[in-house]
Every structure is written in C-alpha cells, then in structure tokens.
C-alpha cells in the first residue's frame, strides 16, 4: 500500500515550541532580571522566535501565578522600563519543569534510539523531491 507524499507540518514545530516557552523564559530569568525585549532576544539566540504579544501574555500569566514579578527602572532613554525577575515560587516551578524535561528527553531518546525511521527523518530536509512512504503489511 502506498500513501501520498506528505508535506512536513509546519504547525508541529510551533506547537512544540509553545509547550517549552514557559520553561525557557523561566530559565532565562533564573540568571538575571530582564526587560521583555531582552527576553525576546535571548529566545531568538536559541532560534525560538516569539512575538511580543505572546511574550507579554505569558509574562502576565506567570506574574499572576506568583512565578515572576517586576520592578520599574528609570531609563536614560525614554520612559521607565519594567524588568521581570523570577520569584521563589518561580524557582520551585523551574526545578519541577527541569525534572520533567529531563524525564521527557530520556523517554523520547529511548524510542529514538530504537527507531529505524529517525535517519530517514534527518535526510528529509536534504531531499528535493517528494517522499513516498510505503507501509509494510504485517
């Protein structure tokens, strides 16, 4: 049985990134307080592109949950700036998220090592023609 070639789903990456955004923001703020544009730049360095609206929504939710707080600081260039920092509750959440992340990575890597499909996935981006996936009948 032959299936039609499928186009990679660009939404997959987006959904997976959304799932780790909170973790990455808490990791960034665990090192130092930051202005939202600094957070966006930090995420961009890791190729996690986030629009301001998404970040502000997340920052506000984390603040309401007590995981972050902010302080105003006068700016030499313009109005005062709001700098976010992680709270004790945020640090506790970060520890839980780090444990969960390590467990998830371990679980997924277990299956990736056993999968015969992974090398084919890694070569997909290098191919110029559509890929035909053939299901084996068991």
């Amino acid at each position: 049985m032959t299936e039609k070639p499928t186009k990679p789903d660009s939404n997959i990456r987006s959904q997976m990134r959304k799932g780790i955004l909170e973790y990455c923001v808490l990791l960034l703020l665990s090192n130092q307080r930051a202005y939202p544009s600094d957070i966006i730049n930090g995420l961009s360095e890791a190729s996690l592109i986030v629009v301001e609206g998404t970040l502000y929504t997340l920052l506000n939710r984390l603040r309401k949950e007590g995981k972050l707080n902010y302080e105003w600081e006068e700016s030499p260039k313009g109005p005062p700036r709001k700098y976010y920092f992680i709270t004790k509750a945020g640090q506790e959440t970060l520890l839980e998220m780090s444990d969960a992340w390590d467990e998830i990575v371990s679980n997924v890597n277990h299956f990736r090592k056993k999968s015969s499909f992974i090398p084919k996935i890694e070569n997909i981006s290098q191919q110029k023609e559509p890929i035909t996936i053939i299901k084996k009948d068991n």
Side-chain angles (χ1 to χ4, degrees):
M1 169 197 253
T2 303
E3 291 183 3
K4 290 183 180 181
T6 57
K7 188 175 178 182
D9 187 352
S10 61
N11 193 38
I12 291 172
R13 278 192 171 87
S14 174
Q15 291 301 312
M16 292 178 85
R17 286 179 178 170
K18 284 180 187 176
I20 63 167
L21 184 58
E22 178 177 341
Y23 182 42
C24 292
V25 167
L26 290 174
L27 283 168
L28 276 168
L29 293 174
S30 70
N31 294 322
Q32 63 184 23
R33 68 192 187 111
Y35 185 62
S37 64
D38 297 331
I39 297 170
I40 289 173
N41 290 339
L43 294 170
S44 295
E45 287 175 9
S47 299
L48 288 171
I49 309 303
V50 178
V51 295
E52 283 185 14
T54 301
L55 179 63
Y56 281 109
T57 300
L58 176 61
L59 293 174
N60 285 328
R61 180 176 60 79
L62 292 173
R63 186 187 57 77
K64 287 178 183 176
E65 292 173 356
K67 298 173 186 173
L68 297 181
N69 209 340
Y70 62 83
E71 56 192 8
W72 290 98
E73 186 175 297
E74 291 296 324
S75 171
K77 302 175 187 174
R81 292 182 168 191
K82 191 185 286 188
Y83 284 86
Y84 287 86
F85 59 91
I86 194 167
T87 63
K88 177 98 170 129
Q91 291 171 346
E92 291 168 3
T93 298
L94 183 55
L95 284 173
E96 288 178 35
M97 291 178 104
S98 292
D99 288 344
W101 178 256
D102 291 343
E103 183 179 330
I104 290 166
V105 168
S106 175
N107 294 342
V108 170
N109 283 338
H110 170 81
F111 290 106
R112 284 179 55 111
K113 288 176 188 171
K114 293 182 179 214
S115 174
S116 59
F117 191 67
I118 296 298
K120 296 172 193 158
I121 289 174
E122 292 169 352
N123 293 326
I124 286 175
S125 62
Q126 298 169 3
Q127 295 182 359
K128 296 180 180 165
E129 295 185 26
I131 298 169
T132 302
I133 298 174
I134 301 171
K135 282 188 173 178
K136 291 182 181 178
D137 293 326
N138 291 337

